[in-house]
Amino acid sequence: PLMADLEHLSEILSKIVEGDDSRAHNLYEEFRTLGMERSQDIDDVKPLAQMVAKAKDLTADEALGVTRTFSIMLNLVNSAEVTHRFRNLRKFTNEMDNDAGPLPNVEDSVAGTIKAIL
């Protein structure tokens, strides 16, 4: 689910950026593709060299646009990872008995108080 979430978020961001600044969108997609190629084979220096060469040729406005896009994407990645951890924690605690989890179900605990109120 995490990778599917990341792809979905990237597609949404890409569409938004494309509507706002097509040049930033194209650069984001180019750098993203090169980065994914680099991650597939870290011994292949060609994608990294292409990224460096491309980055050297950016204008200040282009650099700002692509940096903003990657910054937003990294925030979305962090949010997706947190959601994924919560999803896994919820699955784990649902598979165990009701007293398991990060909030112990004892009378003088947060979980116990919530259970007593409900």
Side-chain angles (χ1 to χ4, degrees), residues 104-114:
N105 192 10
V106 293
E107 187 177 349
D108 63 342
S109 70
V110 173
T113 303
I114 291 172

Side-chain angles (χ1 to χ4, degrees), residues 42-82:
I42 60 171
D43 294 325
D44 183 7
V45 296
K46 186 178 176 186
L48 179 60
Q50 289 175 322
M51 281 190 277
V52 170
K54 197 170 279 295
K56 285 180 180 180
D57 292 336
L58 294 178
T59 66
D61 286 340
E62 290 171 337
L64 180 63
V66 77
T67 301
R68 280 184 178 160
T69 305
F70 273 103
S71 176
I72 293 167
M73 189 60 210
L74 289 173
N75 283 323
L76 292 171
V77 167
N78 288 338
S79 296
E81 288 174 342
V82 168

Side-chain angles (χ1 to χ4, degrees), residues 79-93 102:
S79 296
E81 288 174 342
V82 168
T83 300
H84 183 69
R85 281 194 294 273
F86 281 139
R87 188 184 298 140
N88 285 341
L89 181 60
R90 188 177 333 117
K91 180 181 174 188
F92 175 75
T93 56

